[in-house]
């Protein structure tokens, strides 16, 4: 993807009309075991859930993220980037958007599960100051792989806020169109 094309991406709140395209992306990212269309429709009607996607200028969905907010904790349920558009910073942009939403909603902690073998995702989450706090044995249904449970410190602590600011500044310097 060229820099000019990247400048034209937008982060938008996911709506039901997006589900067929999100589902097609989900099938590409997780061909053996993926969420169903009904799962996405249910998530979009779930009052605890928030979903955002990155769209190009043609309105194609290149990546998406979802999370639940339960009182002062957010749980990332799903993050996927189209394999053809990886290494463009889209996962970081979506995590930044999630953290912004968490600040707006007075969330204190963010948690998620990630495959033990997914070192790229683990490295990304560690960049955002997630730490591994445990393991869910045989968590993934497709192959019985374990999941690392990752958690942030309180996102209102200075260390986290400064890290968030630094990552956001580095993304903005890369000239992404970073807004809805």
């Amino acid at each position: 993807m060229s820099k000019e094309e990247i400048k034209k991406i937008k982060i938008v709140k996911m709506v039901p009309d997006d589900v067929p395209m999100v589902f097609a992306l989900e099938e590409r990212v997780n061909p053996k075991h993926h969420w169903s269309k009904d799962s996405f429709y249910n998530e979009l009607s779930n009052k605890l859930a928030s979903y955002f996607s990155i769209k190009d200028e043609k309105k194609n969905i290149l990546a998406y993220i979802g999370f639940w907010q339960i009182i002062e904790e957010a749980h990332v349920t799903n993050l996927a980037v189209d394999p053809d558009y990886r290494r463009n910073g889209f996962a970081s942009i979506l995590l930044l958007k999630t953290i912004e939403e968490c600040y707006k909603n007075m969330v204190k902690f963010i948690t998620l599960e990630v495959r033990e073998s997914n070192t790229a995702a683990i490295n990304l989450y560690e960049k955002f100051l997630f730490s591994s706090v445990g393991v869910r044995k045989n968590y993934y249904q497709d192959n019985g792989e374990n999941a690392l449970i990752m958690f942030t410190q309180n996102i209102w602590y200075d260390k986290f806020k400064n890290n968030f600011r630094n990552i956001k500044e580095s993304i903005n310097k890369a000239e992404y169109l970073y807004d809805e």
Side-chain angles (χ1 to χ4, degrees):
M1 189 167 217
S2 74
K3 279 195 171 203
E4 288 305 312
E5 291 171 310
I6 287 173
K7 286 182 186 180
K8 296 176 182 174
I9 65 165
K10 293 202 179 211
I11 302 167
V12 296
K13 192 159 185 67
M14 196 183 291
V15 295
D17 286 347
D18 293 332
V19 169
M21 202 178 312
V22 168
F23 179 71
L25 174 55
E26 177 75 2
E27 285 184 310
R28 286 193 68 208
V29 172
N30 300 303
K32 292 182 182 172
H33 186 78
H34 51 76
W35 285 25
S36 67
K37 283 183 185 178
D38 285 343
S39 294
F40 286 105
Y41 286 120
N42 289 337
E43 285 294 282
L44 293 178
S45 65
N46 179 348
K47 289 181 180 9
L48 300 175
S50 296
Y51 278 76
F52 295 92
S53 60
I54 290 180
K55 291 186 177 183
D56 65 13
E57 63 184 326
K58 296 176 185 169
K59 308 279 190 230
N60 296 311
I61 294 176
L62 309 178
Y64 67 88
I65 194 167
F67 65 95
W68 286 22
Q69 181 183 339
I70 303 170
I71 308 172
E72 58 188 26
E73 184 179 311
H75 180 81
V76 176
T77 56
N78 212 328
L79 171 60
V81 178
D82 186 311
D84 293 340
Y85 295 95
R86 290 185 179 155
R87 315 274 318 145
N88 282 301
F90 295 162
S92 291
I93 290 170
L94 289 170
L95 280 171
L96 287 168
K97 178 64 176 171
T98 298
I99 294 166
E100 286 177 345
E101 292 297 310
C102 288
Y103 281 130
K104 285 180 195 174
N105 296 323
M106 304 306 290
V107 167
K108 289 185 181 176
F109 304 98
I110 307 169
T111 185
L112 56 82
E113 290 92 12
V114 61
R115 288 179 187 270
E116 282 183 322
S117 64
N118 193 343
T119 54
I122 293 166
N123 291 337
L124 172 71
Y125 300 136
E126 287 175 344
K127 177 176 108 173
F128 279 85
L129 302 181
F130 282 80
S131 298
S132 178
V133 296
V135 174
R136 293 197 198 284
K137 297 282 186 192
N138 304 310
Y139 184 76
Y140 291 97
Q141 295 174 3
D142 62 333
N143 65 0
E145 184 174 354
N146 296 340
L148 292 181
I149 304 165
M150 298 189 82
F151 222 91
T152 63
Q153 60 183 261
N154 187 321
I155 68 172
W156 296 91
Y157 288 175
D158 286 342
K159 181 179 178 183
F160 191 92
K161 288 194 304 188
N162 291 336
N163 186 64
F164 168 78
R165 230 176 279 121
N166 290 338
I167 294 171
K168 187 167 183 181
E169 284 175 14
S170 71
I171 295 288
N172 287 338
K173 286 180 186 169
E175 301 181 1
Y176 288 97
L177 178 60
Y178 181 64
D179 57 29
E180 294 179 52

